[in-house]
Amino acid sequence: MGKIVVVHPLEPRFADQIREAAPGWELIEGHDRAFAAQHLPDAEIVLGWNSLVEKLVVTGPSHLKWVQNWGAGVELLPLGKFRELGIALTNASGVHPNPISETIFAMLLSFTRHLHTAIRNQTRSSWMNTGEMGEAHGRTMGILGVGAIGLETARLA
């Protein structure tokens, strides 16, 4: 059938799921940029985005029909060129609310308690005071954007 090129590291279980979902398609895992570059001109589907894929899309020619972006935001991709070439673009909107919202809270608590400074001091064997410890209790959180990540962050808050 066709060729699928993945330009970012992919866990083996996900590669297996892709192979199962797309029997007959050749899956190229391009952990190495030079290796991926060899296969990109023949790819019909690309998973991920980097400068190699951008060069392929902008300068062509290619067999590319679909780009799956790992993240939700696609506004920095060459959307006009996608339309011009008839390349479908999908994103990962809605798949990151749990890990990102948990990271938001990890960072919030870390900065409130000055853990980032304490860890740096610890690695230098410096036991300096990191300043007054803050608390998250009783504070108001502002959330810009209410996509899946913002909604889950608000729910946790």
Side-chain angles (χ1 to χ4, degrees):
M1 285 200 167
K3 186 180 283 192
I4 302 170
V5 176
V6 184
V7 296
H8 299 296
L10 190 63
E11 290 182 30
R13 67 186 173 114
F14 295 132
D16 291 342
Q17 288 175 347
I18 292 169
R19 286 186 186 95
E20 185 178 317
W25 285 73
E26 181 182 6
L27 179 65
I28 304 296
E29 297 181 62
H31 310 291
D32 176 88
R33 287 179 66 88
F35 181 72
Q38 287 178 306
H39 292 278
L40 279 172
D42 300 325
E44 290 184 50
I45 301 171
V46 172
L47 306 179
W49 185 259
N50 63 21
S51 60
L52 294 173
V53 181
E54 183 169 20
K55 182 178 177 185
L56 176 72
V57 169
V58 172
T59 63
S62 75
H63 300 283
L64 195 57
K65 294 181 176 34
W66 177 18
V67 171
Q68 168 61 48
N69 189 44
W70 274 168
V74 296
E75 61 277 353
L76 298 178
L77 276 60
L79 301 177
K81 200 68 171 169
F82 279 95
R83 274 190 295 278
E84 177 186 322
L85 298 173
I87 299 171
L89 172 62
T90 52
N91 66 9
S93 181
V95 301
H96 300 295
N98 292 349
I100 300 299
S101 62
E102 289 176 8
T103 299
I104 289 168
F105 277 91
M107 299 305 290
L108 175 113
L109 295 172
S110 175
F111 289 134
T112 300
R113 304 298 291 175
H114 303 284
L115 294 181
H116 59 295
T117 306
I119 291 168
R120 285 190 193 102
N121 286 345
Q122 183 181 24
T123 60
R124 292 189 300 250
S125 296
S126 170
W127 309 112
M128 300 171 58
N129 184 341
T130 59
E132 186 177 330
M133 296 287 182
E135 291 185 358
H137 287 82
R139 299 271 179 106
T140 300
M141 175 185 275
I143 299 171
L144 303 177
V146 288
I149 293 169
L151 288 173
E152 181 60 12
T153 302
R155 188 190 73 73
L156 290 173

